[in-house]
Amino acid sequence: MAQRQGSFVKYLIIGFSAAGANAAETIRRLDPDGEIIVLNGESRSFYLRLDLEGIFQGKPVEQLMPRPPEYWPEKGINVRLDRAVGIDLKKRQVAAQSGGIYGYDRLLIATGARPRKLDVPGCDLAGVFHYHTLDDALAIYDSRARVRHAVIVGGGILGLELAHAVLTFGWKVTILVRGSHAGSPIVDLSGSELVLASLQRAGVGVLFHEQAAAFEGDSRHLCAVRATSGKTLDADLAAICVGVEPDVSFLQDTGLLTDGKLIVDGKMQTAAADVFAAGDAALVRRGEKLVGCNMWNVASAQARVAASNMCGMKAEWREDVLYNLDSLFDQEFALIGPWDDRRLSGRAIHEFRTENAYRALVMRDGVLESALLLGDRTHDRRIRKLITQKARVEEKLDRIFDPDTPPDYFI
């Protein structure tokens, strides 16, 4: 049990998504008697953000919650529906939106990410939504009876997920894509044809090199979306899905940010004593490289490391081979390894296409470093094993997807 001057430790956690919830549980396991307060800036208890699409299939809210709300007080974890607005590091206090002041001995910042805003006229009209939280999904779902045409601004993973979900309502759907292809930044232009073909088969309209210039309304409700090209689309609903950014703006005057970034070491500790961070809010320093977190399992692992160190242990976050399973519209994909590094110097991308699949393997000095399997992820476990073992496969690529060739052949 962690103690401070003979008294119980006060743990304060800001944020209640994957990182915050996992940290609270880890602290309680390691320190049965410490005081744990969690500031939850949302109106809901901890839920699975990855399963928001289930709302559009009629899934009850309770099924998105891995723990019932009463679980947390039963564990002695005090969850407050309040948002942090500032930190006084000298006084070891956090100021909240309600006006409350929360003291701490050990602090974890786990505020995650927030949706990027569009600074265009009409964003405050009824019928204009973001798609990021459970409340966002519920608000869009509750609009289903009155919507005929929805315009989704953004053709990344969230925009495509929402388009796929709302088609079940019989809506006409149009996606505005700022760049040259849908599915960015996960898939490059050369691999995006598979996603575009799926959208076209489903009857989804896609306008490339377009962004919303204004949301136009009558009697304060959305009537149309005006695109940057000047084209106007009649619309009953618009959803802004233009990416996310770390939710750290409340830290501006604390000295915790470096060029606007919240940087931690391998122990998930910030530059301030007894202040830790994990998940999407933080960047982990690895030599000269800053490693971000945009996966649920990574946020959870980082939170467990931070919580262990908050309890006086010596834990280190180890960057395992990243492994993410998701979908772009209706095309499942597996993303394995440091895929975001694929355009760095010294990398070579090898592409494999079939009618129903796109696969890209990234080599560095002949060694398999990362991969994207889109449309068919049958061999994801094999590829993950080869990346983990740093297999030199460049001269054997013709057999890498052959099910009759054992993985040891490439080692």
Side-chain angles (χ1 to χ4, degrees):
M1 177 183 70
Q3 288 188 317
R4 180 183 62 87
Q5 296 179 347
S7 61
F8 297 121
V9 174
K10 292 182 178 181
Y11 301 97
L12 181 60
I13 299 171
I14 306 175
F16 200 38
S17 191
N22 276 277
E25 289 189 305
T26 302
I27 291 171
R28 178 52 73 229
R29 176 172 55 82
L30 296 175
D31 185 352
D33 301 306
E35 177 186 271
I36 304 174
I37 294 179
V38 180
L39 298 185
N40 180 10
E42 293 193 39
S43 63
R44 308 275 177 174
S45 186
F46 170 53
Y47 62 88
L48 298 175
R49 201 180 301 274
L50 293 173
D51 200 18
L52 286 184
E53 193 172 356
I55 291 296
F56 302 99
Q57 300 162 2
K59 182 177 289 189
V61 168
E62 293 74 20
Q63 291 188 18
L64 271 67
M65 296 180 177
R67 303 278 190 262
E70 61 270 18
Y71 167 85
W72 305 102
E74 288 174 357
K75 292 292 183 180
I77 297 170
N78 187 349
V79 180
R80 306 282 181 89
L81 298 182
D82 212 348
R83 183 180 297 275
V85 296
I87 300 176
D88 188 324
L89 295 175
K90 291 183 178 179
K91 294 182 178 179
R92 292 179 173 249
Q93 292 178 338
V94 172
Q97 195 171 50
S98 66
I101 301 294
Y102 297 87
Y104 67 85
D105 297 319
R106 314 279 163 73
L107 174 66
L108 175 67
I109 300 167
T111 43
R114 62 182 181 183
R116 288 196 177 97
K117 307 291 185 182
L118 281 183
D119 186 17
V120 300
C123 282
D124 57 346
L125 285 170
V128 179
F129 300 90
H130 284 89
Y131 178 55
H132 182 68
T133 68
L134 178 53
D135 284 339
D136 294 336
L138 288 168
I140 295 170
Y141 179 74
D142 289 343
S143 304
R144 64 193 182 281
R146 63 167 182 78
V147 175
R148 291 171 298 174
H149 183 201
V151 174
I152 297 174
V153 184
I157 188 169
L158 280 181
L160 295 175
E161 175 183 294
L162 182 59
H164 185 252
V166 301
L167 280 177
T168 59
F169 302 149
W171 298 355
K172 177 185 177 182
V173 177
T174 302
I175 302 176
L176 303 184
V177 181
R178 182 176 59 183
S180 59
H181 65 282
S184 178
I186 291 172
V187 66
D188 296 324
L189 176 62
S190 58
S192 65
E193 293 92 344
L194 201 65
V195 178
L196 180 59
S198 290
L199 291 165
Q200 292 173 334
R201 282 194 300 270
V204 176
V206 185
L207 301 179
F208 295 108
H209 303 291
E210 286 280 30
Q211 185 63 279
F215 300 103
E216 300 175 346
D218 180 23
S219 299
R220 300 190 65 186
H221 197 284
L222 177 75
C223 295
V225 177
R226 179 159 47 87
T228 48
S229 66
K231 184 173 184 177
T232 298
L233 304 169
D234 292 339
D236 312 289
L237 182 145
I240 301 171
C241 304
V242 292
V244 297
E245 59 191 8
D247 188 2
V248 295
S249 60
F250 71 104
L251 301 175
Q252 289 294 342
D253 299 324
T254 62
L256 288 171
L257 301 183
T258 302
D259 296 327
K261 301 178 179 67
L262 181 58
I263 299 173
V264 297
D265 60 19
K267 295 179 173 59
M268 310 311 296
Q269 182 157 358
T270 70
D274 296 322
V275 179
F276 298 78
D280 289 345
L283 293 171
V284 184
R285 186 177 296 283
R286 284 284 187 258
E288 297 184 358
K289 181 180 177 181
L290 296 177
V291 179
C293 165
N294 53 10
M295 298 182 190
W296 187 273
N297 57 343
V298 176
S300 300
Q302 290 182 350
R304 289 190 288 269
V305 170
S308 297
N309 290 319
M310 291 167 74
C311 292
M313 302 180 69
K314 295 182 179 180
E316 186 89 11
W317 179 64
R318 303 192 182 282
E319 186 184 0
D320 295 328
V321 172
L322 298 179
Y323 182 60
N324 188 26
L325 304 179
D326 212 319
S327 296
L328 293 173
F329 195 63
D330 62 353
Q331 295 293 326
E332 293 184 339
F333 70 82
L335 195 154
I336 312 165
W339 175 249
D340 289 346
D341 293 347
R342 64 192 180 278
R343 298 188 189 92
L344 296 181
S345 175
R347 274 70 172 181
I349 302 176
H350 300 264
E351 298 176 308
F352 305 81
R353 293 181 179 84
T354 66
E355 183 179 355
N356 300 312
Y358 168 81
R359 298 157 175 162
L361 304 178
V362 179
M363 307 292 170
R364 184 180 185 185
D365 297 328
V367 175
L368 184 58
E369 184 178 68
S370 67
L372 171 67
L373 310 181
L374 178 64
D376 180 4
R377 61 184 199 215
T378 303
H379 301 287
D380 57 341
R381 293 180 183 273
R382 169 197 288 253
I383 298 300
R384 187 181 186 188
K385 181 177 181 180
L386 295 176
I387 291 174
T388 301
Q389 297 180 341
K390 302 184 184 302
R392 186 171 294 278
V393 301
E394 195 167 33
E395 303 301 325
K396 307 172 183 178
L397 288 177
D398 58 328
R399 301 182 65 178
I400 199 164
F401 295 114
D402 179 8
D404 296 325
T405 302
D408 290 346
Y409 170 78
F410 302 96
I411 307 303

